[in-house]
Each structure stands twice: as C-alpha cells, then as structure tokens.
Amino acid sequence: MSTYISETLKKRILNNDKRRCCYCLTTEANSGIPMTYDHIQPLSKGGKTSFENLCLACRSCNEFKSDSTEAIDPSTGETTPIFNPRTQKWFEHFQ
C-alpha cells in the first residue's frame, strides 16, 4: 500500500534516523540502495502516517517485517512486540 509522506516529514525522518535502517542499522552508503519509509504500526493495522509511526528501513528489513507487529522471542519462545525505534533504544532491545 502506498501513502503520501510530505517532504518535510521525510527530511525529519532522514535527519533523526541518520539515513540508516532503524532495524539493522545499515546505511544507504553501505547498502547502495535507498532506504524506505516503514510504518512501524502498519496502515493495514490502523497505523498512521506520522513521525511517531514512521522510520527508515532498508528494503530487506522492510520486506521481512512486512505488516508484522509481533514475533516469537527466540530466547523465551513467547510472542512479543517487535522493536519500535520511536519508543525503544536499539541496544537495550537487542541486548
């Protein structure tokens, strides 16, 4: 699904996310592929097109995540919400 993201919002996200994927931390310079704008909470599940719900993602992470909002924790086997780069710190989440 495609949605309009204003240039102002795109610039804010690019600056905040330092032009790198919020999930794997690769940069556009390393991958050679432009980042995509990912809806953390997918539009299909009620997510909004807002700074709080958008982040940069490399194409691989965006396609892998798809419209998922939770996953099985490999350590505990329990279902857990996936990483939210706007409300969680990467190094704490992936410790």
Side-chain angles (χ1 to χ4, degrees):
M1 176 182 283
S2 170
T3 189
Y4 175 75
I5 303 170
S6 73
E7 289 303 314
T8 302
L9 183 53
K10 286 180 182 180
K11 286 179 185 174
R12 183 176 177 199
I13 294 165
L14 282 169
N15 288 334
N16 186 82
D17 297 349
K18 300 179 174 86
R19 296 182 176 270
R20 65 182 181 189
C21 176
C22 287
Y23 301 111
C24 71
L25 303 182
T26 193
T27 64
E28 280 185 355
N30 283 342
S31 70
I33 300 170
M35 293 288 144
T36 60
Y37 294 88
D38 177 55
H39 284 84
I40 300 162
Q41 176 74 18
L43 293 172
S44 63
K45 295 185 178 179
K48 306 291 181 206
T49 301
S50 65
F51 177 78
E52 296 76 20
N53 192 47
L54 287 168
C55 69
L56 289 181
C58 69
R59 188 159 307 281
S60 294
C61 286
N62 198 350
E63 289 177 2
F64 181 78
K65 178 183 168 271
S66 185
D67 67 346
S68 300
T69 57
E70 56 188 25
I72 303 297
D73 182 322
S75 299
T76 65
E78 295 180 15
T79 301
T80 186
I82 61 169
F83 173 65
N84 183 325
R86 293 291 178 250
T87 62
Q88 297 174 292
K89 295 183 190 298
W90 194 92
F91 290 102
E92 289 176 10
H93 181 82
F94 292 107
Q95 220 171 10

